[in-house]
Amino acid sequence: MLRTVNAPLIEARNLRVYFYVKKGALGKRGIVKAVDGVDLVIEEKGIVTLVGESGCGKTTLGKTIAGLLRPTSGEILFRGKSVAKMNKKEYMEYRRSVQIVHQDPYASLNPTKTVFQALSYPLTRWKLVRSRAEAEERVKELLRLVGLTPPEEFMRKYPHQLSGGQRQRVVIARAISVNPSLVVADEPITMIDVSLRLGILDLLLRLREELGTAYLFITHDFGAARYFSAKGGGVIAVMYLGKIVEIGPAEEVIQHPLHPYTKALIDAVPVPDPEISRKKRMPPLRSLDIPSPLNPPPGCKFHTRCPDAMPVCAKKEPPLIEARPGHYVACWLYTK
Amino acid sequence: MRTAEPIIEIRGLSTVYYSLRGLVKAVDNVSFSVIRGEVLGIVGESGSGKSTLSMSILRVLPLNARIVAGSIMYNGTDLVKLPEQEMKKIRWHKISLVPQAALNALNPTMKIKEHFIETAKYHGIRDKKSIVEKASELLELLRLEPPRVLESYPHELSGGMKQRVLIALALLLDPEVLILDEPTTALDVLTQRAILDLLKDLRKKIDITMIFITHDIAVIADLADRVAVMYAGKIVEIGDVFTVFKSPYHPYTRALIRSIPSIIGSVEEMKPIPGSPPDLVNPPPGCRFHPRCSEKLPICSEKEPPIVEVKPGHMVYCWLYAKR
């Protein structure tokens, strides 16, 4: 089990989420193991950034932790209590405590509702306000918190009158309106203008200072993962085909990656410095494409592409071990 | 290897969109040259006009858009004034475009082979055998297996493979200029790296000029020889990639480089740009960046900045460097 400093807020234990799909005209059944045996701890006020390529299962893991998908097996513990064993009251408390911010701020807001309507609904739904006047006060406070000032003006606007960055701020305000202890932020800056992206990440970090929210930040962008986790003193977890293959303190993972997959990704990513970026070349992977998740390789799922694969890799799945202090990796290269 | 001979010269180009809210000045009085054999990177945020600029060069704009001023000189002809019939001989034959969101550009009901044949047919070439031969050659150049890929349907290919097919398709009629609009944006890190490497190899193997459009300044650093930075319909800085990245002059370029979360450099030095990009129906007067600029002078909100050549070939549109 991973070591933690603060009390664990959310714990995933051997979590698996499978999707049953029909393949081809004959309807042959297949199983996509989107999340396949994940152990993860998010501490109170902690930051975990999940990074991986499309199809690695990072969104599925985020949705399952937020209670939007049911695990196929394994369990999720919220403040030490298994979600599956909660009574209705406890379950509602868990659902309020874990909120999600989706990738697309254009699809996340109802175009026919004003910002006030969007933000006041969860407040009345969770009985956090008793009157319209109270709701207005709280909505104004939320808008100020996310930097949309003057709030009186923004309250009356419809989504189409807002820019992408402003919409995402409204979505964030809605997520924090019910005082969650964890916000799952799934690619929250991918559809935002480049110059405004760090502003959204800074906002999330500031809200953690002010409200004590923990984050599960999901991204495909190593630069954003590093920025968010390093600034917030959190960890980065790298996913590949439903598994966490490496997890550790942000700068550790970026500057001293251990898993051959993480190394390949970090070697490949372009950087805003021509002197450095031009020296980069495709890492010596044995295959460019991710294997089909319907038919993942046995043993270590990366062995078919890994430049350092050994005979054992095709046979047995490597365990996640602590290779350096606080820095875990699932790779036979580091297992004695 | 590279002579400074321009292949495309754009002077005073303005392209507008007619919208219900009024005229959107997407590209506003833009001038620059593309040098034969170079990779020119055009970088800008969404709405900066970079895609409109590329669509203007080929005159493939949406119906509500129009080029209202300026010239685009290519081999002694002004593409802006060229009749549509003549323009058809330029598109794909001379200047070719790999459009944005290209992964959805292939017809799902057609085999890859048919895409090549159809394209050639539209441009008046009917000899199927020679087209398939040419397509195979190009696919091989892009490190795809021609027999398998040509017989595949688009859904049988991965994103990276589709992107390479589209590049091959754009190269089918041996164009001199290839415009790539966000060719690596929807791709995973490793696929993006593969495409960047392929484009670098491609320039060594064939004689081509590339205009590479992206919002990702790191990709520009990786591939381009020169970079043009666009903001709100204007080019604000243009010059050699190494000089622009090492010593950016325009406050926007500086802020843009600082605003990229990267795996290199200090996290503490990365900062967002305050404010947001302007509404192009009603852009701010003077320099369009002045409301967000940390170094603005009184004149910046009054008059448009002049072009200043700060170093040979390195142009900046900013009052900070103007001799007044």
Side-chain angles (χ1 to χ4, degrees):
Chain A
M1 201 67 255
L2 314 177
R3 285 184 290 117
T4 55
V5 185
N6 289 343
L9 172 68
I10 287 268
E11 246 186 285
R13 284 192 187 159
N14 202 15
L15 198 69
R16 289 170 206 272
V17 187
Y18 295 176
F19 294 107
Y20 296 86
V21 293
K22 273 189 181 171
K23 207 188 165 209
L26 294 171
K28 220 175 100 191
R29 296 262 284 190
I31 300 174
V32 174
K33 299 175 178 176
V35 175
D36 197 17
V38 164
D39 290 307
L40 186 68
V41 178
I42 306 170
E43 301 165 25
E44 299 272 358
K45 297 181 195 171
I47 287 182
V48 174
T49 299
L50 273 183
V51 56
E53 294 180 275
S54 51
C56 73
K58 54 192 193 298
T59 292
T60 305
L61 180 56
K63 282 187 173 172
T64 311
I65 284 175
L68 300 180
L69 290 171
R70 216 175 272 269
T72 309
S73 73
E75 59 179 350
I76 293 173
L77 277 71
F78 174 67
R79 294 204 165 113
K81 179 119 194 166
S82 171
V83 169
K85 292 180 189 131
M86 285 178 172
N87 62 33
K88 192 173 177 196
K89 200 175 157 226
E90 287 167 332
Y91 183 71
M92 292 315 273
E93 175 60 16
Y94 151 72
R95 288 299 299 269
R96 183 193 58 76
S97 298
V98 183
Q99 292 295 321
I100 191 162
V101 172
H102 294 284
Q103 173 172 352
D104 187 352
Y106 294 86
S108 302
L109 292 170
N110 185 333
T112 68
K113 299 268 192 275
T114 63
V115 169
F116 174 75
Q117 286 172 311
L119 292 181
S120 61
Y121 178 72
L123 298 174
T124 43
R125 161 73 182 75
W126 291 100
K127 299 193 175 67
L128 296 170
V129 291
R130 273 163 297 178
S131 64
R132 187 181 163 100
E134 228 178 276
E136 265 180 37
E137 270 320 296
R138 177 72 179 139
V139 167
K140 278 183 202 163
E141 188 193 331
L142 287 167
L143 288 172
R144 262 184 234 115
L145 264 176
V146 297
L148 293 176
T149 49
E152 292 78 8
E153 195 182 296
F154 279 98
M155 258 164 64
R156 284 192 297 270
K157 289 196 177 182
Y158 285 92
H160 75 266
Q161 295 169 304
L162 304 174
S163 70
Q166 290 170 340
R167 279 178 213 225
Q168 198 60 297
R169 283 169 191 266
V170 172
V171 174
I172 291 169
R174 185 173 62 183
I176 60 165
S177 67
V178 297
N179 308 316
S181 36
L182 174 71
V183 170
V184 176
D186 188 1
E187 302 268 10
I189 57 167
T190 306
M191 297 190 61
I192 308 291
D193 267 331
V194 183
S195 70
L196 308 178
R197 289 182 177 176
L198 292 189
I200 297 287
L201 295 185
D202 285 347
L203 167 66
L204 293 172
L205 291 171
R206 181 166 61 75
L207 292 174
R208 185 175 73 135
E209 291 304 309
E210 290 173 21
L211 311 170
T213 333
Y215 290 109
L216 178 64
F217 174 50
I218 299 170
T219 180
H220 68 282
D221 177 350
F222 267 88
R226 174 188 179 221
Y227 183 85
F228 194 68
S229 264
K231 265 199 137 177
V235 298
I236 292 180
V238 183
M239 272 188 91
Y240 185 72
L241 282 176
K243 283 266 182 200
I244 289 178
V245 296
E246 177 160 6
I247 181 166
E251 290 290 14
E252 255 287 311
V253 171
I254 300 293
Q255 312 302 347
H256 310 285
L258 297 175
H259 199 285
Y261 177 62
T262 318
K263 281 186 190 166
L265 290 175
I266 288 180
D267 278 352
V269 66
V271 294
D273 181 330
E275 310 264 0
I276 300 170
S277 212
R278 275 159 203 254
K279 291 196 185 102
K280 293 189 169 223
R281 276 272 146 179
M282 190 66 198
L285 292 180
R286 296 204 287 164
S287 144
L288 181 61
D289 295 305
I290 303 185
S292 160
L294 273 168
N295 191 13
C300 169
K301 289 180 175 174
F302 189 58
H303 86 263
T304 51
R305 303 170 74 193
C306 184
D308 306 318
M310 303 176 288
V312 63
C313 303
K315 292 182 200 119
K316 275 176 74 183
E317 218 172 307
L320 194 66
I321 57 131
E322 189 169 11
R324 292 159 72 114
H327 189 166
Y328 299 77
V329 63
C331 174
W332 287 117
L333 289 175
Y334 302 92
T335 310
K336 274 151 208 127
Chain B
M1 174 191 114
R2 184 145 54 90
T3 53
E5 176 206 347
I7 185 162
I8 296 177
E9 273 192 284
I10 296 177
R11 291 286 163 262
L13 186 74
S14 295
T15 303
V16 301
Y17 288 86
Y18 297 89
S19 82
L20 289 175
R21 295 174 51 237
L23 274 189
V24 180
K25 296 161 199 142
V27 173
D28 192 12
N29 196 10
V30 161
S31 303
F32 66 96
S33 302
V34 185
I35 296 163
R36 192 178 285 276
E38 77 169 341
V39 176
L40 173 68
I42 300 180
V43 68
E45 296 176 69
S46 50
S48 63
K50 54 194 194 306
S51 291
T52 306
L53 181 60
S54 68
M55 292 188 287
S56 301
I57 297 174
L58 277 172
R59 298 215 339 239
V60 287
L61 292 158
L63 287 173
N64 65 334
R66 197 139 298 156
I67 298 173
V68 288
S71 62
I72 301 168
M73 298 304 288
Y74 166 75
N75 276 349
T77 14
D78 184 355
L79 300 184
V80 174
K81 298 207 183 80
L82 212 58
E84 181 58 27
Q85 275 309 314
E86 293 297 307
M87 195 64 210
K88 276 190 181 152
K89 293 178 189 159
I90 300 283
R91 283 185 210 121
W92 229 303
H93 294 270
K94 300 288 180 197
I95 307 174
S96 204
L97 173 73
V98 179
Q100 200 173 351
L103 299 186
N104 304 320
L106 295 168
N107 184 334
T109 67
M110 274 163 61
K111 283 185 181 175
I112 300 302
K113 188 166 82 180
E114 294 166 69
H115 283 85
F116 284 94
I117 293 168
E118 279 291 306
T119 304
K121 206 162 102 187
Y122 181 81
H123 290 277
I125 303 159
R126 285 166 195 283
D127 178 5
K128 279 191 193 175
K129 201 168 153 250
S130 73
I131 285 302
V132 172
E133 254 168 49
K134 174 83 189 167
S136 306
E137 217 174 273
L138 287 167
L139 292 174
E140 210 155 307
L141 201 62
L142 292 163
R143 299 219 195 99
L144 292 167
E145 296 165 50
R148 180 166 95 79
V149 171
L150 285 171
E151 294 302 325
S152 298
Y153 285 96
H155 75 269
E156 297 172 297
L157 305 178
S158 70
M161 290 164 93
K162 277 191 256 185
Q163 189 59 277
R164 282 180 277 166
V165 165
L166 280 153
I167 296 171
L169 203 53
L171 293 171
L172 184 62
L173 307 179
D174 295 316
E176 287 193 304
V177 182
L178 183 65
I179 304 175
L180 301 127
D181 194 354
E182 302 273 10
T184 64
T185 301
L187 303 175
D188 281 321
V189 177
L190 293 168
T191 319
Q192 168 174 279
R193 168 55 54 201
I195 298 281
L196 289 173
D197 285 0
L198 275 172
L199 290 173
K200 286 179 202 169
D201 284 350
L202 197 63
R203 344 175 25 189
K204 288 184 201 143
K205 289 180 188 153
I206 61 172
D207 195 11
I208 193 119
T209 306
M210 289 190 224
I211 303 175
F212 192 101
I213 294 163
T214 179
H215 70 281
D216 185 350
I217 203 155
V219 171
I220 298 272
D222 204 279
L223 183 71
D225 299 312
R226 286 195 310 144
V227 55
V229 182
M230 279 193 87
Y231 183 76
K234 299 265 187 197
I235 285 180
V236 297
E237 182 158 5
I238 183 167
D240 172 76
V241 160
F242 286 90
T243 12
V244 170
F245 276 87
K246 205 165 191 187
S247 47
Y249 276 79
H250 200 285
Y252 176 65
T253 315
R254 279 187 224 150
L256 187 65
I257 294 173
R258 260 202 316 271
S259 76
I260 306 302
S262 173
I263 57 166
I264 61 159
S266 151
V267 171
E268 296 308 318
E269 277 164 30
M270 299 170 190
K271 297 248 159 19
I273 308 179
S276 42
D279 179 3
L280 292 181
V281 174
N282 201 0
C287 170
R288 289 181 174 185
F289 186 59
H290 85 262
R292 303 173 78 188
C293 185
S294 57
E295 295 166 71
K296 67 166 175 275
L297 307 166
I299 193 166
C300 300
S301 55
E302 287 154 23
K303 277 176 77 178
E304 280 202 22
I307 314 177
V308 186
E309 188 163 14
V310 286
K311 280 177 197 163
H314 185 165
M315 250 69 84
V316 182
Y317 294 70
C318 178
W319 280 112
L320 288 176
Y321 310 101
K323 286 197 194 81
R324 273 160 295 140

